[in-house]
Amino acid sequence: MSELTPEAIVGLNPIPPDLTEHPKSTLGNEPESNTIAPDAPPKPAWAEAFSSNIPLLTEGESFNVQLPDPDDEHIAEEVFGQMVEQAWQVCDRFDLQTDIWRGRILRTVRDREKKRGNSRGSGFLLWLQEREITKSQAYNWIELADSADTLLESGQLEAADLKHFSKRAFVETAQAAPEVQQLVAEAAKDGEPITRREVRQLADQWSAMSSDLLPESVKERVAAHTLPTRYVAPLVREIEKLPDNYQSALKQAIIEDGNIDNIKQITSDAQRLGRYLQNTGHIQALQQHSVDLETALQEALRLGCLKSTSELVSAAAQLEQMVAKLYSTWRRVNTLADQLYGETGESTPHLRDLLDALGSLSHSVLEVQIGGEERSYQIRLQILSGDSPD
């Protein structure tokens, strides 16, 4: 058996090239040669590049990579790590190629069922069930295949460039903005290994350079690589969530001081502002009182206590949600207890004991003991409602 090198495995295609051609032949009238029938659609450029000179696993062969001996003390740690990393990349890239082709196969089966007029897709679902494939997994593969075909057919990537991608990096690229895809494609064409980390770094760089929320001085520092994008990208994301008047104030603060510490502080402030504005609109206690939320926020900013104010508002919003959930659960306990009480009698003393024990949770005064044996607390909560059971 010939050795499967990383370069060979990267282009490995378990599907014969004929499947990409879709020839319009019928039984008994197949072309005698491997040429495409005259009325068959031309093979796409990506399919030609993707299926040419690709080795297939023949019967008796198996997918194999070379791993170092973990018990060999003569292998240096650096060499050991490189060998393991290379083997992992081979598997990752092979997995990417396989999943792309799985998506194309599934898309072909799905489209065939659609042409048969089965609008509900039961035939496709049955095909998935026979192969123990979930519907969500199938459409994840189809989405991956669609993304690969789009990138290849648009000319941004060539089939040979896929060997530079890890699977997760390619998925991340497919979901990125077109401008980010172009940056990633250029890096892949230069032969750079593309991992999900590189894709996110390029996405952050594009976000920083294209945002109108950042002053030119900051963009120049990002372009000169004197200001890491890992600090700038979160800043842009948080500021984008805020109303225009807050965006202007924060942009001015960046202009006045653009060092890394101040950028991190402004990012935290923008995040807290977002939580404050989001939560104050959902707290009923604030809606029931004439509170000037804008002025309250300005006072918090002036005193430097925005963090405490934001956390208070967030905690209050959570408390109201928990109270609402507590009330609905309490009503549920009452309904079930009344139902069970009506279905029991003297012949079910143990069920009656169960109901008596849970009585502390089904009356208008709830009693709950928290803590351990050494130190415990008795919590009593009274629910005042027009339809209280007591």
Side-chain angles (χ1 to χ4, degrees):
M1 181 183 69
S2 60
E3 181 181 1
L4 293 177
T5 64
E7 290 75 14
I9 293 174
V10 165
L12 190 61
N13 176 13
I15 306 300
D18 293 331
L19 287 184
T20 64
E21 299 170 2
H22 304 292
K24 296 181 179 178
S25 60
T26 56
L27 291 175
N29 190 29
E30 293 84 352
E32 297 181 358
S33 64
N34 291 330
T35 59
I36 303 176
D39 57 347
K43 181 185 291 188
W46 60 259
E48 184 68 38
F50 210 65
S51 58
S52 61
N53 300 323
I54 295 176
L56 297 174
L57 288 176
T58 60
E59 185 177 357
E61 286 186 315
S62 61
F63 175 73
N64 189 25
V65 292
Q66 184 177 2
L67 294 176
D69 184 357
D71 297 326
D72 190 346
E73 298 294 340
H74 298 289
I75 302 178
E77 288 298 323
E78 182 179 358
V79 176
F80 182 88
Q82 291 175 352
M83 296 177 68
V84 171
E85 180 63 24
Q86 183 180 15
W88 183 269
Q89 290 178 4
V90 168
C91 295
D92 204 19
R93 293 164 185 169
F94 181 81
D95 196 23
L96 170 61
Q97 298 274 22
T98 303
D99 284 354
I100 290 175
W101 275 106
R102 280 183 175 134
R104 288 170 177 155
I105 296 169
L106 291 167
R107 185 176 59 197
T108 301
V109 176
R110 182 199 62 185
D111 293 347
R112 177 78 168 183
E113 293 297 329
K114 285 184 178 180
K115 288 185 178 181
R116 289 183 175 181
N118 190 346
S119 58
R120 301 182 64 181
S122 58
F124 179 55
L125 295 179
L126 180 60
W127 195 92
L128 297 179
Q129 291 175 1
E130 291 175 349
R131 289 154 183 81
E132 299 181 349
I133 302 173
T134 64
K135 185 177 179 180
S136 61
Q137 180 63 73
Y139 277 95
N140 285 337
W141 279 330
I142 291 176
E143 183 180 5
L144 178 64
D146 290 340
S147 301
D149 295 347
T150 299
L151 292 173
L152 292 169
E153 289 177 353
S154 65
Q156 294 189 63
L157 284 177
E158 298 179 0
D161 297 330
L162 294 179
K163 66 183 180 181
H164 301 299
F165 284 84
S166 70
K167 179 182 176 182
R168 291 188 297 177
F170 189 84
V171 174
E172 193 92 9
T173 302
Q175 298 173 347
E179 295 82 358
V180 177
Q181 291 179 352
Q182 184 62 38
L183 292 174
V184 175
E186 292 174 358
K189 290 180 183 296
D190 292 338
E192 298 180 17
I194 308 299
T195 65
R196 188 166 59 168
R197 179 179 179 183
E198 277 71 33
V199 176
R200 291 184 174 180
Q201 286 179 345
L202 290 172
D204 290 345
Q205 181 180 356
W206 175 80
S207 176
M209 299 302 296
S210 62
S211 176
D212 296 332
L213 301 174
L214 296 178
E216 291 299 325
S217 58
V218 173
K219 293 183 179 181
E220 291 174 0
R221 293 173 60 194
V222 172
H225 301 288
T226 58
L227 180 60
T229 55
R230 67 176 181 272
Y231 298 118
V232 180
L235 173 65
V236 174
R237 286 194 295 266
E238 295 300 334
I239 294 181
E240 285 177 343
K241 302 175 185 177
L242 301 176
D244 294 341
N245 56 328
Y246 294 107
Q247 290 181 358
S248 301
L250 292 175
K251 184 176 180 179
Q252 183 60 38
I254 298 172
I255 294 175
E256 295 174 358
D257 187 357
N259 64 60
I260 293 179
D261 291 337
N262 190 53
I263 286 179
K264 291 195 294 185
Q265 181 62 45
I266 294 175
T267 302
S268 299
D269 289 342
Q271 189 176 33
R272 291 170 186 138
L273 276 171
R275 286 200 298 262
Y276 177 88
L277 296 173
Q278 180 181 11
N279 291 323
T280 51
H282 296 89
I283 299 179
Q284 294 185 10
L286 293 175
Q287 309 304 323
Q288 296 170 0
H289 296 79
S290 56
V291 179
D292 190 338
L293 299 175
E294 184 74 19
T295 305
L297 178 58
Q298 293 177 1
E299 292 174 352
L301 290 171
R302 178 169 54 85
L303 295 176
C305 58
L306 176 60
K307 179 180 179 181
S308 300
T309 305
S310 175
E311 291 179 354
L312 171 62
V313 171
S314 298
Q318 294 175 9
L319 181 59
E320 275 198 349
Q321 294 173 3
M322 287 189 291
V323 169
K325 186 174 182 180
L326 170 65
Y327 178 75
S328 62
T329 306
W330 173 74
R331 291 291 304 166
R332 176 68 172 162
V333 169
N334 276 296
T335 301
L336 293 174
D338 291 343
Q339 178 181 343
L340 185 58
Y341 188 85
E343 296 173 354
T344 59
E346 297 297 333
S347 62
T348 55
H350 296 292
L351 276 178
R352 285 297 178 91
D353 290 342
L354 173 66
L355 287 170
D356 291 340
L358 296 178
S360 60
L361 300 175
S362 59
H363 298 310
S364 59
V365 178
L366 303 180
E367 297 183 0
V368 179
Q369 183 172 341
I370 61 175
E373 297 180 356
E374 298 180 357
R375 189 174 185 180
S376 62
Y377 301 91
Q378 190 78 14
I379 305 297
R380 290 185 178 89
L381 299 175
Q382 184 176 8
I383 298 179
L384 301 178
S385 175
D387 55 352
S388 298
D390 289 351

